[in-house]
Amino acid sequence: MGEVIFLEVLEGDAVQSRHRLDMLPVTVGRGYANDIILDDPKVSAEHLRLERREDGAVVLHDVGSVNGTFSVEPWAALKELVITPDARVSVGDTVLRFRPRSFVVEDTVVNEAPEAPSERLLERPRAFALTLQALVVTSFISERVTQFRKTDWGDLLMSAVVPLGLALLWAGGWSLASRIARKRFHFRVHTTIAALVLLGFALLPPLFALVSFSFSLGSWLAFGRMLAVLGLVGWGLYWHLRYVTRWSGKRVVRGLVIASVGVMVLTNASDLLGNEPFSEELEFPRSLLPPVLRLAPAHSMDSFFEDVKPLEKKVDALVKER
């Protein structure tokens, strides 16, 4: 092996560093006086010496190291080794490999032409404009449909302006956080996210009212409404955090799931403790729906009285006990 050789410092199967050995002898160790310095506490200050013999062969010598030098294949302690192509030795926790200049590397991995990263829908200017327009129009129509007194155009105007202002203020706060954490405001993206969340809040009540009316669903639909609200808020927070933090999507989802469970427990703590909720307000839809939208028959009065018979018996029993 009379040609120029390279010494490779391995980390597993990966090459951590390469050293071209043009001039021999070369010393290897942890001390700063060596030609090649290894940052390994189990390597001696002066560990190895590489030199070329008269016949051109490169010979490795252990110069009295504390922990010794070992050949890797086969594993054996050594004091001297004639270097051959691909020879590997272990010093401390470090593996060294020797290769000649004529070593043939593997073929280059062919990479497909990289494509420009696709722009998210939230980042498009058109999405920003359409979302704000939809929020304003939906808020205006919702207020107009549910307003039974004389039309107050001031209230109608405020119903459209207030959600828009809330979306802009909310987006401003997240944009400042993005500027601090990621050096970019992303104001348009945060505004789009906020507007979509508010749009969802505006559409959820009439949607659930329609579902409840069409399928004659009972009060259990309130649980579904709560899940929908949590999902909507979670979706908004997820995308806000993706543009503010450098967390992975899975990490953000885990955090939001934990937070959602906590919110559900706190909001339903009274029910979990066995306390019955009480309210003086009557819950009924503020807008009338045409009968043609009813897809399932409504509960009849007879079925209502059948359902309350067990309760009637319990009340009668309590009265008799007194």
mmCIF file with all atom_site columns, all heavy atoms in Angstrom, residues 194-205:
data_model
loop_
_atom_site.group_PDB
_atom_site.id
_atom_site.type_symbol
_atom_site.label_atom_id
_atom_site.label_alt_id
_atom_site.label_comp_id
_atom_site.label_asym_id
_atom_site.label_entity_id
_atom_site.label_seq_id
_atom_site.pdbx_PDB_ins_code
_atom_site.Cartn_x
_atom_site.Cartn_y
_atom_site.Cartn_z
_atom_site.occupancy
_atom_site.B_iso_or_equiv
_atom_site.pdbx_formal_charge
_atom_site.auth_seq_id
_atom_site.auth_comp_id
_atom_site.auth_asym_id
_atom_site.auth_atom_id
_atom_site.pdbx_PDB_model_num
ATOM 1  N N   . ALA A 1 194 ? -58.116 33.093 11.691 1.00 0.00 ? 194 ALA A N   1
ATOM 2  C CA  . ALA A 1 194 ? -59.069 33.676 12.637 1.00 0.00 ? 194 ALA A CA  1
ATOM 3  C C   . ALA A 1 194 ? -60.438 33.857 11.992 1.00 0.00 ? 194 ALA A C   1
ATOM 4  O O   . ALA A 1 194 ? -61.477 33.584 12.615 1.00 0.00 ? 194 ALA A O   1
ATOM 5  C CB  . ALA A 1 194 ? -58.535 35.016 13.143 1.00 0.00 ? 194 ALA A CB  1
ATOM 6  N N   . ALA A 1 195 ? -60.458 34.315 10.744 1.00 0.00 ? 195 ALA A N   1
ATOM 7  C CA  . ALA A 1 195 ? -61.735 34.523 10.058 1.00 0.00 ? 195 ALA A CA  1
ATOM 8  C C   . ALA A 1 195 ? -62.464 33.198 9.844  1.00 0.00 ? 195 ALA A C   1
ATOM 9  O O   . ALA A 1 195 ? -63.696 33.124 9.977  1.00 0.00 ? 195 ALA A O   1
ATOM 10 C CB  . ALA A 1 195 ? -61.493 35.224 8.725  1.00 0.00 ? 195 ALA A CB  1
ATOM 11 N N   . LEU A 1 196 ? -61.731 32.147 9.525  1.00 0.00 ? 196 LEU A N   1
ATOM 12 C CA  . LEU A 1 196 ? -62.362 30.840 9.337  1.00 0.00 ? 196 LEU A CA  1
ATOM 13 C C   . LEU A 1 196 ? -62.954 30.314 10.643 1.00 0.00 ? 196 LEU A C   1
ATOM 14 O O   . LEU A 1 196 ? -64.038 29.715 10.650 1.00 0.00 ? 196 LEU A O   1
ATOM 15 C CB  . LEU A 1 196 ? -61.339 29.845 8.782  1.00 0.00 ? 196 LEU A CB  1
ATOM 16 C CG  . LEU A 1 196 ? -60.977 30.014 7.299  1.00 0.00 ? 196 LEU A CG  1
ATOM 17 C CD1 . LEU A 1 196 ? -59.827 29.095 6.928  1.00 0.00 ? 196 LEU A CD1 1
ATOM 18 C CD2 . LEU A 1 196 ? -62.182 29.734 6.415  1.00 0.00 ? 196 LEU A CD2 1
ATOM 19 N N   . VAL A 1 197 ? -62.248 30.536 11.747 1.00 0.00 ? 197 VAL A N   1
ATOM 20 C CA  . VAL A 1 197 ? -62.777 30.094 13.043 1.00 0.00 ? 197 VAL A CA  1
ATOM 21 C C   . VAL A 1 197 ? -64.055 30.858 13.386 1.00 0.00 ? 197 VAL A C   1
ATOM 22 O O   . VAL A 1 197 ? -65.063 30.267 13.804 1.00 0.00 ? 197 VAL A O   1
ATOM 23 C CB  . VAL A 1 197 ? -61.711 30.278 14.142 1.00 0.00 ? 197 VAL A CB  1
ATOM 24 C CG1 . VAL A 1 197 ? -62.312 30.012 15.520 1.00 0.00 ? 197 VAL A CG1 1
ATOM 25 C CG2 . VAL A 1 197 ? -60.535 29.343 13.909 1.00 0.00 ? 197 VAL A CG2 1
ATOM 26 N N   . LEU A 1 198 ? -64.044 32.180 13.214 1.00 0.00 ? 198 LEU A N   1
ATOM 27 C CA  . LEU A 1 198 ? -65.244 32.972 13.493 1.00 0.00 ? 198 LEU A CA  1
ATOM 28 C C   . LEU A 1 198 ? -66.378 32.615 12.538 1.00 0.00 ? 198 LEU A C   1
ATOM 29 O O   . LEU A 1 198 ? -67.555 32.610 12.929 1.00 0.00 ? 198 LEU A O   1
ATOM 30 C CB  . LEU A 1 198 ? -64.911 34.463 13.383 1.00 0.00 ? 198 LEU A CB  1
ATOM 31 C CG  . LEU A 1 198 ? -63.984 35.018 14.473 1.00 0.00 ? 198 LEU A CG  1
ATOM 32 C CD1 . LEU A 1 198 ? -63.663 36.480 14.208 1.00 0.00 ? 198 LEU A CD1 1
ATOM 33 C CD2 . LEU A 1 198 ? -64.622 34.864 15.851 1.00 0.00 ? 198 LEU A CD2 1
ATOM 34 N N   . LEU A 1 199 ? -66.033 32.316 11.307 1.00 0.00 ? 199 LEU A N   1
ATOM 35 C CA  . LEU A 1 199 ? -67.052 31.883 10.347 1.00 0.00 ? 199 LEU A CA  1
ATOM 36 C C   . LEU A 1 199 ? -67.683 30.565 10.797 1.00 0.00 ? 199 LEU A C   1
ATOM 37 O O   . LEU A 1 199 ? -68.902 30.369 10.684 1.00 0.00 ? 199 LEU A O   1
ATOM 38 C CB  . LEU A 1 199 ? -66.414 31.728 8.968  1.00 0.00 ? 199 LEU A CB  1
ATOM 39 C CG  . LEU A 1 199 ? -67.348 31.387 7.798  1.00 0.00 ? 199 LEU A CG  1
ATOM 40 C CD1 . LEU A 1 199 ? -68.371 32.494 7.597  1.00 0.00 ? 199 LEU A CD1 1
ATOM 41 C CD2 . LEU A 1 199 ? -66.542 31.180 6.522  1.00 0.00 ? 199 LEU A CD2 1
ATOM 42 N N   . GLY A 1 200 ? -66.850 29.683 11.329 1.00 0.00 ? 200 GLY A N   1
ATOM 43 C CA  . GLY A 1 200 ? -67.383 28.430 11.860 1.00 0.00 ? 200 GLY A CA  1
ATOM 44 C C   . GLY A 1 200 ? -68.320 28.659 13.029 1.00 0.00 ? 200 GLY A C   1
ATOM 45 O O   . GLY A 1 200 ? -69.378 28.025 13.134 1.00 0.00 ? 200 GLY A O   1
ATOM 46 N N   . PHE A 1 201 ? -67.950 29.592 13.925 1.00 0.00 ? 201 PHE A N   1
ATOM 47 C CA  . PHE A 1 201 ? -68.822 29.910 15.056 1.00 0.00 ? 201 PHE A CA  1
ATOM 48 C C   . PHE A 1 201 ? -70.153 30.491 14.584 1.00 0.00 ? 201 PHE A C   1
ATOM 49 O O   . PHE A 1 201 ? -71.192 30.285 15.220 1.00 0.00 ? 201 PHE A O   1
ATOM 50 C CB  . PHE A 1 201 ? -68.129 30.901 15.993 1.00 0.00 ? 201 PHE A CB  1
ATOM 51 C CG  . PHE A 1 201 ? -67.172 30.255 16.947 1.00 0.00 ? 201 PHE A CG  1
ATOM 52 C CD1 . PHE A 1 201 ? -65.847 30.644 16.985 1.00 0.00 ? 201 PHE A CD1 1
ATOM 53 C CD2 . PHE A 1 201 ? -67.587 29.253 17.805 1.00 0.00 ? 201 PHE A CD2 1
ATOM 54 C CE1 . PHE A 1 201 ? -64.956 30.048 17.856 1.00 0.00 ? 201 PHE A CE1 1
ATOM 55 C CE2 . PHE A 1 201 ? -66.708 28.649 18.683 1.00 0.00 ? 201 PHE A CE2 1
ATOM 56 C CZ  . PHE A 1 201 ? -65.384 29.047 18.707 1.00 0.00 ? 201 PHE A CZ  1
ATOM 57 N N   . ALA A 1 202 ? -70.124 31.236 13.497 1.00 0.00 ? 202 ALA A N   1
ATOM 58 C CA  . ALA A 1 202 ? -71.366 31.814 12.974 1.00 0.00 ? 202 ALA A CA  1
ATOM 59 C C   . ALA A 1 202 ? -72.250 30.765 12.311 1.00 0.00 ? 202 ALA A C   1
ATOM 60 O O   . ALA A 1 202 ? -73.484 30.878 12.330 1.00 0.00 ? 202 ALA A O   1
ATOM 61 C CB  . ALA A 1 202 ? -71.035 32.927 11.978 1.00 0.00 ? 202 ALA A CB  1
ATOM 62 N N   . LEU A 1 203 ? -71.637 29.731 11.735 1.00 0.00 ? 203 LEU A N   1
ATOM 63 C CA  . LEU A 1 203 ? -72.408 28.730 10.993 1.00 0.00 ? 203 LEU A CA  1
ATOM 64 C C   . LEU A 1 203 ? -72.848 27.547 11.853 1.00 0.00 ? 203 LEU A C   1
ATOM 65 O O   . LEU A 1 203 ? -73.828 26.872 11.513 1.00 0.00 ? 203 LEU A O   1
ATOM 66 C CB  . LEU A 1 203 ? -71.580 28.207 9.814  1.00 0.00 ? 203 LEU A CB  1
ATOM 67 C CG  . LEU A 1 203 ? -71.284 29.210 8.697  1.00 0.00 ? 203 LEU A CG  1
ATOM 68 C CD1 . LEU A 1 203 ? -70.370 28.587 7.654  1.00 0.00 ? 203 LEU A CD1 1
ATOM 69 C CD2 . LEU A 1 203 ? -72.577 29.694 8.046  1.00 0.00 ? 203 LEU A CD2 1
ATOM 70 N N   . LEU A 1 204 ? -72.138 27.281 12.953 1.00 0.00 ? 204 LEU A N   1
ATOM 71 C CA  . LEU A 1 204 ? -72.475 26.105 13.760 1.00 0.00 ? 204 LEU A CA  1
ATOM 72 C C   . LEU A 1 204 ? -73.883 26.157 14.360 1.00 0.00 ? 204 LEU A C   1
ATOM 73 O O   . LEU A 1 204 ? -74.627 25.168 14.269 1.00 0.00 ? 204 LEU A O   1
ATOM 74 C CB  . LEU A 1 204 ? -71.435 25.917 14.869 1.00 0.00 ? 204 LEU A CB  1
ATOM 75 C CG  . LEU A 1 204 ? -70.130 25.226 14.467 1.00 0.00 ? 204 LEU A CG  1
ATOM 76 C CD1 . LEU A 1 204 ? -69.195 25.114 15.662 1.00 0.00 ? 204 LEU A CD1 1
ATOM 77 C CD2 . LEU A 1 204 ? -70.393 23.846 13.885 1.00 0.00 ? 204 LEU A CD2 1
ATOM 78 N N   . PRO A 1 205 ? -74.312 27.263 14.995 1.00 0.00 ? 205 PRO A N   1
ATOM 79 C CA  . PRO A 1 205 ? -75.661 27.266 15.599 1.00 0.00 ? 205 PRO A CA  1
ATOM 80 C C   . PRO A 1 205 ? -76.779 26.975 14.603 1.00 0.00 ? 205 PRO A C   1
ATOM 81 O O   . PRO A 1 205 ? -77.621 26.091 14.864 1.00 0.00 ? 205 PRO A O   1
ATOM 82 C CB  . PRO A 1 205 ? -75.766 28.675 16.202 1.00 0.00 ? 205 PRO A CB  1
ATOM 83 C CG  . PRO A 1 205 ? -74.355 29.073 16.460 1.00 0.00 ? 205 PRO A CG  1
ATOM 84 C CD  . PRO A 1 205 ? -73.565 28.498 15.338 1.00 0.00 ? 205 PRO A CD  1
#
